[in-house]
Structures are given as C-alpha cells and as structure tokens.
Amino acid sequence: MIWISLRRAKVSFSVLEIADRLNIKLVNRTGNEFVFICPFCSGQKEYPKLYINQDKGVFVCHHCHLRGSITDLWALRCGVDTKTAYKQMVNSVSADIQPIESEPVPIKDTEKLNLIYNEFLKMLTLEPRHKEDLLRRGIIDTSGFKSLPEDAKTRWNICSILNRKYGLDDVPGFREQISRKGKPYWDCYRSGMLIPVKDVYQRLAGFQIRTEREPKYIWFSYRSQSKSCVNVIPGKGIPWIIEGVLKSYVTNHFLQIPCFGIPGTDTWRLVPFELIRGGKVIVAYDMEDNPYSLKARDSLISHLDSIGIEPVVAGWNKTMGKGIDDACLYVFKQGIKPRPEMFLPGIAA
Ligand SMILES: [Zn+2]
C-alpha cells in the first residue's frame, strides 16, 4: 500500500484509501503519481485530469486547475473546512460528499447574490481573533460572521467552485485575474472579517469588511462593482437608524430593536424609508463634534420631517463611548440591562 505523509502531521494516509472514501475514480498510475477522474469538473463528460502526488501529498487538476493538499481535497469534496477535514480523515469518518453541479445554475440578481454569498460563507471559518473582537463588542451569536482566507490557494479554490457553479461575472467582491503564466483565475479580498449586510427579507445583499488597518471598513466589492447598501434588521417597535453596520448588530443584540445599519454618516439616503411603520424613527449617530457628521445627521432629520416621519435623536453621555454600541456595552458592564429609553429624551430616577 502507498502512503503519503501530511506536512507537520504524524499521520499518514493511503492515497487509494482516501480516494476510495471520497468516491474518486482511479484511472492510471505513473510512478509516484495517481491519476483520477476529477470530481469537481467532471459531469456528463469525465476529465481524467486529477493528479495526486503520493510523496508531496498534493493534488492538482489539469482541467479545472483546482489544487491543494490532500486535506484541501477532502475539505472541498465534503464542503467542510480543513480542520474538520483533517479530523474526519484521521478518525475514519465516512465522507459526506457534496454534489457539485458542473453547469452554472442560472439565478437572477438578489436571489443569486443571496445564494452565492451564503454558499461562500459556508466555506469560510471565523478566525479566533475576529471572534474575540465580536465577543468584546458584545456580540454573542457570532455564527453569521466569517473571516476572509489569507491563504491564497484556499481563496482561489473557493472562488473557483463558486464560479463553476454560478458564474461570478456579475457578483460584487469577486474578480477574474490572470496568473503570471497567463491563466485566468478568480479571487476576492484577502483578509479581514466579513460583516453581512442583509435586506428586509434577510437575504445577503453584500458584505462590509472589517480590516485590520486604515480604513477600518471597506466594501466587499471592487471599483466599478455595485456596493451593498443598508443592513436591515426587521422587527416590531420603533425603528432605529444606526451609523455603522456592525453597530446595528451590537445594538440590536442589546436593545432588541428593529434597525437599519448605515455604512457611513452620509449614506442615510440608501435607507429604504418605505419600510418604516408607525411614523417614527430613532436616529443614533455617533456622539461626535465633527461638523460633517452633524450636517449629515441634520439632513437626515430634515428628510424624515419632509416625508412625514417623526425623528427622535438618541443621545448619551460621551464618557460612555462614541457609538450607541459603546454606550450599550458600557451600561451592560455596569451590571445593568441596556434599554432603549436610556438613550432617548426624558427624565428618570
Ligand atoms: Zn478538475
């Protein structure tokens, strides 16, 4: 039996055993190299182009250009991350093979974006440092947040799968690049945490990226591609307009209020005002003396007045922090449950 060793791992796997468990058909063997029918690009027509090198523990398909380690192969075949893949391989867990359609599925616009972005998220993991960041902000349910893979091969493989299945031509955040050898491949942004932006039906419309440098927030979208807009968290009660998408998640968690998270002070124009019920809205911009920010807030307020919606401006002591999310967290850390009325005009004991 032929064994391959995984880098930095003490466990060896048999190429044939792994291929068998993944239901990949062997067609040939030349020295150290095994040739299989590629399960990723073969449909009606089979492509015997998947090579696995037993010494290096790597695979490559010379038809669809997927490549990676044996663990990557397992991960891609089963639709799990590599950590899970490794565990399943070691523990002889039977492979739960994900069907991959070779023909692009035609879907339109918002539905298509939602489908692709959801599938994209499923293939990503959340880096511990990003998870810690979310927990520090007060977000307990971190399941909707993911990290962009810094490993280029992982990114290319994921993009390649999505492109083959749906076609990424009109999908913001992805673009086709040309390798040094002149071969086209798909890629996306290479680092940061994805903050989902959803519409009122809770369909994924796009992402903001929390970067680890300035600017802190960018769109998951290249120049000339459309930008996702306002994050909508629907529900009963007076709606809030909150400056910041991530802040809308934090504030919703603490105050249980329906809200719109706008990506910047000036982007209030993107709010779907027609969704607002009850004729009243609470505006929670950062407590800043910045004249541009104040001007933007004032123009939002006069717009609300002009369309017959009563604006109420939320406020708090600046020592509690700049944003409504900081203020909620501040109250929470005092051992008090934050409530919406704490940030609204009034007198209370
Ligand atoms: Zn292939």
Side-chain angles (χ1 to χ4, degrees), residues 35 43 49 114 134 146 153 170 187 204 217 263 318:
V35 188
K49 297 280 189 180
N114 180 44
L134 291 170
K146 293 291 169 76
K153 255 188 328 196
D170 50 354
D187 203 359
L204 280 168
Y217 294 96
K318 279 180 196 168

Side-chain angles (χ1 to χ4, degrees), residues 38-42 47 49-50 61-66 164:
C38 176
F40 303 110
C41 58
S42 301
Y47 294 99
K49 297 280 189 180
L50 185 90
C61 171
H62 293 300
H63 181 250
C64 66
H65 309 299
L66 272 185
R164 216 161 328 106

Side-chain angles (χ1 to χ4, degrees), residues 68-294:
S69 67
I70 296 298
T71 321
D72 292 331
L73 178 67
W74 186 286
L76 290 168
R77 188 83 169 118
C78 300
V80 295
D81 61 73
T82 46
K83 222 187 256 174
T84 311
Y86 182 74
K87 273 191 211 146
Q88 292 181 340
M89 290 165 72
V90 176
N91 297 324
S92 304
V93 172
S94 61
D96 179 16
I97 296 160
Q98 298 290 309
I100 292 189
E101 285 117 78
S102 47
E103 292 300 311
V105 184
I107 311 128
K108 277 270 166 260
D109 309 318
T110 45
E111 293 297 342
K112 173 174 173 174
L113 279 190
N114 180 44
L115 203 65
I116 294 176
Y117 286 152
N118 267 303
E119 192 142 332
F120 181 47
L121 287 186
K122 270 188 222 155
M123 289 190 267
L124 304 177
T125 53
L126 183 63
E127 297 277 343
R129 67 178 192 283
H130 291 151
K131 185 166 184 158
E132 278 161 28
D133 180 28
L134 291 170
L135 294 174
R136 201 169 50 237
R137 290 167 192 268
I139 293 180
I140 292 168
D141 180 12
T142 58
S143 59
F145 299 86
K146 293 291 169 76
S147 310
L148 286 165
E150 286 173 26
D151 177 58
K153 255 188 328 196
T154 306
R155 248 182 8 254
W156 299 339
N157 280 340
I158 289 172
C159 293
S160 169
I161 287 176
L162 291 175
N163 182 53
R164 216 161 328 106
K165 196 160 176 185
Y166 302 105
L168 291 177
D169 283 319
D170 50 354
V171 181
F174 300 96
R175 70 175 165 193
E176 194 169 33
Q177 313 266 55
I178 304 293
S179 75
R180 274 186 219 145
K181 287 178 185 162
K183 279 189 183 147
Y185 67 97
W186 284 85
D187 203 359
C188 63
Y189 283 96
R190 59 190 63 198
S191 72
M193 177 170 63
L194 287 172
I195 304 162
V197 175
K198 296 179 183 178
D199 68 11
V200 69
Y201 303 106
Q202 295 304 280
R203 290 180 302 209
L204 280 168
F207 302 101
Q208 245 190 342
I209 305 172
R210 176 71 167 96
T211 67
E212 274 140 11
R213 61 188 77 85
E214 292 296 332
K216 285 181 192 146
Y217 294 96
I218 57 172
W219 283 117
F220 181 72
S221 165
Y222 291 104
R223 244 196 316 182
S224 85
Q225 292 182 328
S226 69
K227 310 276 179 267
S228 49
C229 39
V230 173
N231 186 44
V232 185
I233 307 181
K236 277 184 192 156
I238 302 172
W240 290 50
I241 295 177
I242 293 164
E243 180 191 342
V245 176
L246 190 50
K247 284 175 190 179
S248 68
Y249 283 105
V250 178
T251 311
N252 169 263
H253 165 72
F254 281 121
L255 303 182
Q256 307 287 308
I257 39 97
C259 58
F260 301 100
I262 57 171
T265 55
D266 236 346
T267 50
W268 58 262
R269 288 174 184 82
L270 303 169
V271 171
F273 292 102
E274 71 280 4
L275 298 176
I276 295 174
R277 301 281 175 273
K280 202 182 215 180
V281 103
I282 295 162
V283 176
Y285 269 44
D286 283 0
M287 298 293 279
E288 273 181 313
D289 300 323
N290 177 339
Y292 295 103
S293 168
L294 290 174

Side-chain angles (χ1 to χ4, degrees), residues 265 268 283 285 292-302 313:
T265 55
W268 58 262
V283 176
Y285 269 44
Y292 295 103
S293 168
L294 290 174
K295 207 177 143 213
R297 195 189 69 185
D298 289 345
S299 52
L300 164 60
I301 288 167
S302 48
V313 178

